[in-house]
Amino acid sequence: MPDNEQQRPCPWLYSDGVWTRLDHDPVPSGKGDRYEDSIKAAGFVYWFGAGKLYNTPLHLNVYVRWHPHPEPRYLIELDGPEYGQVVYAAELPDALTLTQQIAPALQALTVTDQVGHADSESLSVLGDLLDKMHDRTQVKNGKTIRR
């Protein structure tokens, strides 16, 4: 297989509601480079994240870089247990739009994963919490009623 067929495709850029492929990766990495070091060398700094790696099925990190660096200004990293994906956002409105689109999936995956791995004691606590949230109480015969 030719060398160029073995390389990853260039990453995606989100700008003004449109997805395009970049002609190069703003975070080039050489063999043996740690990805975190390559991000820093490209001028990106950590902005925020959600989910703890290996404790949730999907982890999000957002990095930003300031002028004089050219666009893209934001790097959005999505990591799963075995595979990660990086996309870029041109400016702040683009980054906010993407994180807003990703947040519901991240939240749903995290809650589903946590409930799926809960033990019987945790499920009891979860049931009590849901009853409290929905203003329900248990009566002696075991039926759930609203207050």
Side-chain angles (χ1 to χ4, degrees):
M1 188 180 302
D3 287 345
N4 63 351
E5 289 183 13
Q6 294 177 358
Q7 295 175 354
R8 294 184 309 162
C10 287
W12 288 99
L13 170 70
Y14 185 77
S15 179
D16 292 325
V18 177
W19 286 100
T20 56
R21 285 263 189 204
L22 292 170
D23 57 359
H24 70 286
D25 194 332
V27 180
S29 61
K31 289 186 178 183
D33 288 348
R34 285 182 4 141
Y35 189 67
E36 293 81 10
D37 294 336
S38 297
I39 288 172
K40 187 176 180 179
F44 289 98
V45 294
Y46 181 78
W47 185 27
F48 72 90
K52 291 183 181 179
L53 193 55
Y54 305 113
N55 290 336
T56 59
L58 186 64
H59 180 76
L60 168 75
N61 283 317
V62 179
Y63 298 84
V64 61
R65 64 180 176 178
W66 313 109
H67 296 281
H69 294 285
E71 285 186 1
R73 302 250 182 263
Y74 294 85
L75 180 154
I76 298 171
E77 179 183 49
L78 292 169
D79 280 321
E82 294 186 32
Y83 179 73
Q85 182 71 48
V86 171
V87 297
Y88 294 93
E91 293 290 348
L92 179 63
D94 306 308
L96 292 175
T97 297
L98 286 179
T99 56
Q100 181 182 10
Q101 291 174 2
I102 294 166
L106 182 65
Q107 182 180 23
L109 286 168
T110 300
V111 169
T112 302
D113 191 63
Q114 295 301 314
V115 170
H117 289 96
D119 57 22
S120 58
E121 186 176 315
S122 298
L123 287 175
S124 174
V125 171
L126 178 61
D128 293 344
L129 175 64
L130 290 171
D131 286 343
K132 179 113 175 119
M133 287 173 54
H134 294 287
D135 198 25
R136 297 182 298 216
T137 56
Q138 295 282 337
V139 294
K140 285 189 177 188
N141 65 5
K143 291 186 178 180
T144 303
I145 60 166
R146 289 196 183 273
R147 283 194 236 175

